[in-house]
Amino acid sequence: MCKGIQLTHLCFADDLLVFSDGSNFGIQDLQRILAQFKKVSGLKSNPSKCEVFFGGLETVERQVRAARYGYQLGEFLVRYLGVPLISGKLSLAACQPLIDKMVAKVKSWQAKALSYEGNIELVGKVFYSLTQFWMSVFLLPKSVIKEVERICSNFIWGVGEGLKLRANVVWQKLTYPKKGGLGFRDLWSWNQACMTRHIWLNS
C-alpha cells in the first residue's frame, strides 16, 4: 500500500494493479484476498499471466519471492497505457518511445514533400498531441524537451535526421505570438502547467 496517498490498487479496463508492502506477509494477505474474490465471484486469477514488481530488493530476493508464490517477475522499465511505469526519476532513456514515435512520423512525412506551411500545421497539431499525454503524466526532463524541440524545428525547416544543417530560426523565437513567431507553445512552461493541474485537481 502506498501510505502517503493511501493507494491500494488501480483498475483500468481488464487490468488490475495491486500495491503491497512487498513483504511475505503482504503477499500472503494479497493471495488470501484473491482467494476470497474467487469464492465470491467464481473468477480466478492466473498467476502465469500476472507479473509482480519489487522495489528495494536485491535481484535474488525478488526472484525467490516471485517463484515462491508462482508469479512472473516483472522488470522495470515497463510501459502501461503508452507511458513507462518507473520507480525512480524519469530519464531520457525512459522517454525514448516518445522520441522514436516522433522520428517515425518525420520519416513518413518527409517522403511526401510537404510545403513549409504543411510542416508547421503538422507540428502544431500532430507533434504536440503526441507529447500532450506524456506531459499530462510526467514532468519531462529538460533533455527530452530539447530533443522534442529539435525534432520539430528540423522538420519545419526541412533538415533531415543525421544532417548537420541548422534551422533558420532558433526554436524559442517560434514560440512567440504569431506577430513575431509561429505561436507554438513553450513546451517546458506547458509541461509545468500540466503538472500544476494535478495539484489543483487534488486540492
Side-chain angles (χ1 to χ4, degrees):
M1 177 177 177
C2 298
K3 293 182 179 179
I5 55 176
Q6 298 184 335
L7 180 64
T8 58
H9 66 282
L10 293 173
C11 185
F12 181 81
D14 58 351
D15 294 324
L16 177 64
L17 282 72
V18 181
F19 299 89
S20 169
D21 61 6
S23 65
N24 287 321
F25 291 113
I27 298 175
Q28 289 169 3
D29 284 341
L30 177 58
Q31 288 191 311
R32 281 194 290 269
I33 292 172
L34 292 175
Q36 184 65 23
F37 176 77
K38 174 190 173 184
K39 184 177 180 181
V40 173
S41 67
L43 300 175
K44 180 182 179 181
S45 64
N46 186 346
S48 65
K49 294 184 178 181
C50 298
E51 289 186 323
V52 59
F53 298 86
F54 293 98
L57 293 178
E58 296 294 333
T59 301
V60 173
E61 181 63 21
R62 285 184 284 146
Q63 292 172 340
V64 169
R65 293 194 185 189
R68 180 183 300 163
Y69 299 105
Y71 294 112
Q72 300 292 319
L73 179 60
E75 295 288 347
F76 292 110
L77 180 69
V78 62
R79 292 176 65 191
Y80 183 68
L81 300 181
V83 295
L85 295 180
I86 56 175
S87 58
K89 187 177 180 180
L90 191 67
S91 65
L92 176 59
C95 298
Q96 195 59 45
L98 172 62
I99 303 300
D100 291 343
K101 185 177 291 187
M102 295 185 70
V103 171
K105 288 287 186 183
V106 167
K107 290 181 178 178
S108 66
W109 290 335
Q110 282 178 336
K112 298 179 181 179
L114 299 171
S115 66
Y116 169 71
E117 291 77 10
N119 290 351
I120 292 175
E121 189 73 12
L122 287 173
V123 168
K125 292 186 176 179
V126 180
F127 277 167
Y128 273 28
S129 67
L130 289 176
T131 60
Q132 176 61 39
F133 182 55
W134 284 68
M135 289 186 171
S136 66
V137 178
F138 299 116
L139 184 63
L140 298 180
K142 286 190 175 181
S143 58
V144 175
I145 298 288
K146 288 184 178 296
E147 181 63 13
V148 169
E149 291 175 346
R150 185 192 68 81
I151 293 172
C152 292
S153 179
N154 286 354
F155 178 70
I156 288 174
W157 301 112
V159 179
E161 289 296 314
L163 298 180
K164 295 183 178 180
L165 300 175
R166 289 190 175 185
N168 295 348
V169 180
V170 295
W171 178 259
Q172 190 61 36
K173 289 186 177 181
L174 301 185
T175 63
Y176 294 166
K178 290 190 176 181
K179 288 185 177 180
L182 293 178
F184 290 135
R185 290 173 182 164
D186 180 282
L187 294 179
W188 177 246
S189 298
W190 180 249
N191 194 185
Q192 290 178 311
C194 290
M195 292 295 96
T196 305
R197 177 175 176 271
H198 289 291
I199 300 175
W200 176 72
L201 289 174
N202 291 283
S203 61

PDB file of all heavy atoms in Angstrom, residues 98-111:
ATOM      1  N   LEU A  98       8.693   7.868 -26.936  1.00  0.00           N
ATOM      2  CA  LEU A  98       8.112   9.117 -27.441  1.00  0.00           C
ATOM      3  C   LEU A  98       8.971   9.689 -28.563  1.00  0.00           C
ATOM      4  O   LEU A  98       8.451  10.086 -29.616  1.00  0.00           O
ATOM      5  CB  LEU A  98       7.988  10.133 -26.303  1.00  0.00           C
ATOM      6  CG  LEU A  98       7.585  11.559 -26.702  1.00  0.00           C
ATOM      7  CD1 LEU A  98       6.199  11.572 -27.338  1.00  0.00           C
ATOM      8  CD2 LEU A  98       7.637  12.491 -25.492  1.00  0.00           C
ATOM      9  N   ILE A  99      10.280   9.715 -28.348  1.00  0.00           N
ATOM     10  CA  ILE A  99      11.202  10.231 -29.361  1.00  0.00           C
ATOM     11  C   ILE A  99      11.133   9.381 -30.626  1.00  0.00           C
ATOM     12  O   ILE A  99      11.075   9.904 -31.748  1.00  0.00           O
ATOM     13  CB  ILE A  99      12.647  10.262 -28.818  1.00  0.00           C
ATOM     14  CG1 ILE A  99      12.736  11.107 -27.541  1.00  0.00           C
ATOM     15  CG2 ILE A  99      13.604  10.772 -29.880  1.00  0.00           C
ATOM     16  CD1 ILE A  99      12.330  12.542 -27.716  1.00  0.00           C
ATOM     17  N   ASP A 100      11.124   8.066 -30.454  1.00  0.00           N
ATOM     18  CA  ASP A 100      11.075   7.157 -31.605  1.00  0.00           C
ATOM     19  C   ASP A 100       9.799   7.357 -32.415  1.00  0.00           C
ATOM     20  O   ASP A 100       9.819   7.302 -33.655  1.00  0.00           O
ATOM     21  CB  ASP A 100      11.167   5.702 -31.134  1.00  0.00           C
ATOM     22  CG  ASP A 100      12.535   5.352 -30.566  1.00  0.00           C
ATOM     23  OD1 ASP A 100      13.492   6.107 -30.833  1.00  0.00           O
ATOM     24  OD2 ASP A 100      12.635   4.341 -29.847  1.00  0.00           O
ATOM     25  N   LYS A 101       8.691   7.577 -31.729  1.00  0.00           N
ATOM     26  CA  LYS A 101       7.417   7.782 -32.427  1.00  0.00           C
ATOM     27  C   LYS A 101       7.453   9.064 -33.254  1.00  0.00           C
ATOM     28  O   LYS A 101       6.959   9.102 -34.389  1.00  0.00           O
ATOM     29  CB  LYS A 101       6.271   7.833 -31.414  1.00  0.00           C
ATOM     30  CG  LYS A 101       4.890   7.934 -32.057  1.00  0.00           C
ATOM     31  CD  LYS A 101       3.787   7.908 -31.014  1.00  0.00           C
ATOM     32  CE  LYS A 101       3.675   6.554 -30.358  1.00  0.00           C
ATOM     33  NZ  LYS A 101       2.485   6.488 -29.447  1.00  0.00           N
ATOM     34  N   MET A 102       8.060  10.106 -32.701  1.00  0.00           N
ATOM     35  CA  MET A 102       8.153  11.371 -33.423  1.00  0.00           C
ATOM     36  C   MET A 102       9.070  11.240 -34.640  1.00  0.00           C
ATOM     37  O   MET A 102       8.763  11.744 -35.722  1.00  0.00           O
ATOM     38  CB  MET A 102       8.655  12.472 -32.493  1.00  0.00           C
ATOM     39  CG  MET A 102       7.699  12.797 -31.355  1.00  0.00           C
ATOM     40  SD  MET A 102       8.231  14.203 -30.356  1.00  0.00           S
ATOM     41  CE  MET A 102       7.986  15.546 -31.505  1.00  0.00           C
ATOM     42  N   VAL A 103      10.192  10.550 -34.466  1.00  0.00           N
ATOM     43  CA  VAL A 103      11.125  10.350 -35.580  1.00  0.00           C
ATOM     44  C   VAL A 103      10.458   9.538 -36.689  1.00  0.00           C
ATOM     45  O   VAL A 103      10.629   9.821 -37.882  1.00  0.00           O
ATOM     46  CB  VAL A 103      12.410   9.656 -35.093  1.00  0.00           C
ATOM     47  CG1 VAL A 103      13.283   9.236 -36.276  1.00  0.00           C
ATOM     48  CG2 VAL A 103      13.196  10.576 -34.162  1.00  0.00           C
ATOM     49  N   ALA A 104       9.672   8.530 -36.304  1.00  0.00           N
ATOM     50  CA  ALA A 104       8.968   7.715 -37.301  1.00  0.00           C
ATOM     51  C   ALA A 104       7.971   8.560 -38.088  1.00  0.00           C
ATOM     52  O   ALA A 104       7.821   8.395 -39.310  1.00  0.00           O
ATOM     53  CB  ALA A 104       8.252   6.554 -36.608  1.00  0.00           C
ATOM     54  N   LYS A 105       7.293   9.482 -37.397  1.00  0.00           N
ATOM     55  CA  LYS A 105       6.364  10.382 -38.082  1.00  0.00           C
ATOM     56  C   LYS A 105       7.104  11.259 -39.084  1.00  0.00           C
ATOM     57  O   LYS A 105       6.648  11.470 -40.213  1.00  0.00           O
ATOM     58  CB  LYS A 105       5.643  11.261 -37.058  1.00  0.00           C
ATOM     59  CG  LYS A 105       4.606  10.550 -36.211  1.00  0.00           C
ATOM     60  CD  LYS A 105       3.365  10.238 -37.017  1.00  0.00           C
ATOM     61  CE  LYS A 105       2.273   9.653 -36.129  1.00  0.00           C
ATOM     62  NZ  LYS A 105       1.071   9.267 -36.924  1.00  0.00           N
ATOM     63  N   VAL A 106       8.255  11.780 -38.659  1.00  0.00           N
ATOM     64  CA  VAL A 106       9.048  12.643 -39.533  1.00  0.00           C
ATOM     65  C   VAL A 106       9.438  11.902 -40.805  1.00  0.00           C
ATOM     66  O   VAL A 106       9.303  12.422 -41.922  1.00  0.00           O
ATOM     67  CB  VAL A 106      10.310  13.145 -38.798  1.00  0.00           C
ATOM     68  CG1 VAL A 106      11.287  13.768 -39.790  1.00  0.00           C
ATOM     69  CG2 VAL A 106       9.935  14.163 -37.735  1.00  0.00           C
ATOM     70  N   LYS A 107       9.909  10.675 -40.658  1.00  0.00           N
ATOM     71  CA  LYS A 107      10.356   9.904 -41.815  1.00  0.00           C
ATOM     72  C   LYS A 107       9.210   9.628 -42.783  1.00  0.00           C
ATOM     73  O   LYS A 107       9.393   9.653 -44.005  1.00  0.00           O
ATOM     74  CB  LYS A 107      10.992   8.594 -41.351  1.00  0.00           C
ATOM     75  CG  LYS A 107      12.340   8.785 -40.659  1.00  0.00           C
ATOM     76  CD  LYS A 107      12.943   7.461 -40.235  1.00  0.00           C
ATOM     77  CE  LYS A 107      14.311   7.665 -39.598  1.00  0.00           C
ATOM     78  NZ  LYS A 107      14.911   6.381 -39.138  1.00  0.00           N
ATOM     79  N   SER A 108       8.019   9.375 -42.245  1.00  0.00           N
ATOM     80  CA  SER A 108       6.878   9.100 -43.123  1.00  0.00           C
ATOM     81  C   SER A 108       6.410  10.365 -43.838  1.00  0.00           C
ATOM     82  O   SER A 108       5.966  10.317 -44.984  1.00  0.00           O
ATOM     83  CB  SER A 108       5.724   8.498 -42.316  1.00  0.00           C
ATOM     84  OG  SER A 108       5.201   9.438 -41.387  1.00  0.00           O
ATOM     85  N   TRP A 109       6.534  11.515 -43.172  1.00  0.00           N
ATOM     86  CA  TRP A 109       6.088  12.775 -43.775  1.00  0.00           C
ATOM     87  C   TRP A 109       7.111  13.335 -44.753  1.00  0.00           C
ATOM     88  O   TRP A 109       6.744  13.976 -45.731  1.00  0.00           O
ATOM     89  CB  TRP A 109       5.808  13.807 -42.694  1.00  0.00           C
ATOM     90  CG  TRP A 109       4.591  13.496 -41.875  1.00  0.00           C
ATOM     91  CD1 TRP A 109       3.515  12.750 -42.245  1.00  0.00           C
ATOM     92  CD2 TRP A 109       4.331  13.927 -40.540  1.00  0.00           C
ATOM     93  NE1 TRP A 109       2.601  12.681 -41.230  1.00  0.00           N
ATOM     94  CE2 TRP A 109       3.073  13.397 -40.168  1.00  0.00           C
ATOM     95  CE3 TRP A 109       5.029  14.702 -39.620  1.00  0.00           C
ATOM     96  CZ2 TRP A 109       2.504  13.627 -38.917  1.00  0.00           C
ATOM     97  CZ3 TRP A 109       4.467  14.935 -38.376  1.00  0.00           C
ATOM     98  CH2 TRP A 109       3.221  14.399 -38.034  1.00  0.00           C
ATOM     99  N   GLN A 110       8.396  13.123 -44.481  1.00  0.00           N
ATOM    100  CA  GLN A 110       9.425  13.670 -45.362  1.00  0.00           C
ATOM    101  C   GLN A 110       9.316  13.096 -46.770  1.00  0.00           C
ATOM    102  O   GLN A 110       9.654  13.752 -47.749  1.00  0.00           O
ATOM    103  CB  GLN A 110      10.815  13.390 -44.778  1.00  0.00           C
ATOM    104  CG  GLN A 110      11.191  14.332 -43.640  1.00  0.00           C
ATOM    105  CD  GLN A 110      12.539  14.010 -43.030  1.00  0.00           C
ATOM    106  OE1 GLN A 110      13.012  12.877 -43.115  1.00  0.00           O
ATOM    107  NE2 GLN A 110      13.159  14.997 -42.413  1.00  0.00           N
ATOM    108  N   ALA A 111       8.828  11.879 -46.864  1.00  0.00           N
ATOM    109  CA  ALA A 111       8.690  11.240 -48.173  1.00  0.00           C
ATOM    110  C   ALA A 111       7.578  11.881 -49.005  1.00  0.00           C
ATOM    111  O   ALA A 111       7.510  11.683 -50.216  1.00  0.00           O
ATOM    112  CB  ALA A 111       8.410   9.752 -47.992  1.00  0.00           C
TER     113      ALA A 111
END
